Amino acid sequence: MDQVPTIDVKRRRPAELAAVDAACRDHGFFLLAGHGHDDLIERTWEQTRRLFAAPKPTREALRRSEEQPLGYYDRELTKRQRDCKEVFDYMQPDGPIGEARNRWPDDLPGFRETQTRFFEAMSQLAAETLALVYEAIGAPPSLARDHAVTSMTSTVRLNHYPVGDPVPNEEREGLPALADVALG
């Protein structure tokens, strides 16, 4: 039990279902393999690196606010200390909430398209994984039908943990102290 279990989501043989059941009971989580999205995940990482390496005006144009809770942010607090991280949040790109609230960079071609594909693929993978868990624990088929997965309120967060404070010196006045760790 000292290793995180890895589950192949495409296998539904009794041994794999037993492994899912054991992972849920013993760990509460597991890694996924066999999903076929490795290339998309790598493209998503590439686009994430591009966003956080983009010039400050590109990121500032996406800054979230109280009225606009999605987008870029570099001043989150945990236990009243600033986290040493930058984030970018978005919701279902083609859904009504996402259409109204998502913010996308204008000068990073391919970013939105990659994030949209990632959101769609991971939403489908979440539904497949949940179906696998239901099957592994012997839940009746009606449970899955009655608790259908919806991606409408799901959020993706891209995280960047820089070396040093992400907030420039000239903008730190009045901000809480930076924590000793990236995420307190």
Side-chain angles (χ1 to χ4, degrees), residues 91-92 97 119 150-155:
M91 297 180 78
Q92 184 180 37
I97 298 171
F119 189 95
T150 177
S151 59
M152 189 177 299
T153 58
S154 295
T155 303

Side-chain angles (χ1 to χ4, degrees), residues 52 56 59-60 63 72-76 82-87 160-172 175-179 181-182:
F52 291 116
K56 186 172 174 70
R59 289 173 285 146
E60 284 299 318
R63 182 170 290 283
Y72 171 80
Y73 204 63
D74 61 358
R75 295 152 201 233
E76 281 194 322
R82 273 188 307 117
D83 297 332
C84 188
K85 70 177 182 183
E86 298 173 276
V87 302
H160 176 240
Y161 297 97
V163 175
D165 197 328
V167 178
N169 283 336
E170 64 274 9
E171 296 177 24
R172 293 182 193 162
L175 292 179
L178 189 66
V181 295

Side-chain angles (χ1 to χ4, degrees), residues 13-103:
R13 296 190 303 250
E16 282 75 27
L17 293 174
V20 171
D21 184 35
C24 291
R25 291 174 194 274
D26 298 341
H27 293 286
F29 58 91
F30 48 86
L31 299 174
L32 296 176
H35 48 69
H37 298 300
D38 292 334
D39 289 340
L40 177 57
I41 291 169
E42 183 52 41
R43 287 194 312 275
T44 302
W45 279 116
E46 289 169 11
Q47 293 296 329
T48 299
R49 286 187 288 273
R50 286 181 65 220
L51 174 69
F52 291 116
K56 186 172 174 70
T58 297
R59 289 173 285 146
E60 284 299 318
L62 307 171
R63 182 170 290 283
R64 71 181 192 204
S65 66
E66 205 169 301
E67 300 79 36
Q68 185 58 283
L70 300 175
Y72 171 80
Y73 204 63
D74 61 358
R75 295 152 201 233
E76 281 194 322
L77 302 178
T78 302
K79 299 181 181 176
R80 294 185 218 168
Q81 291 188 312
R82 273 188 307 117
D83 297 332
C84 188
K85 70 177 182 183
E86 298 173 276
V87 302
F88 179 81
D89 299 313
Y90 66 95
M91 297 180 78
Q92 184 180 37
D94 296 326
I97 298 171
E99 287 289 337
R101 297 201 169 194
N102 286 336
R103 305 173 80 195

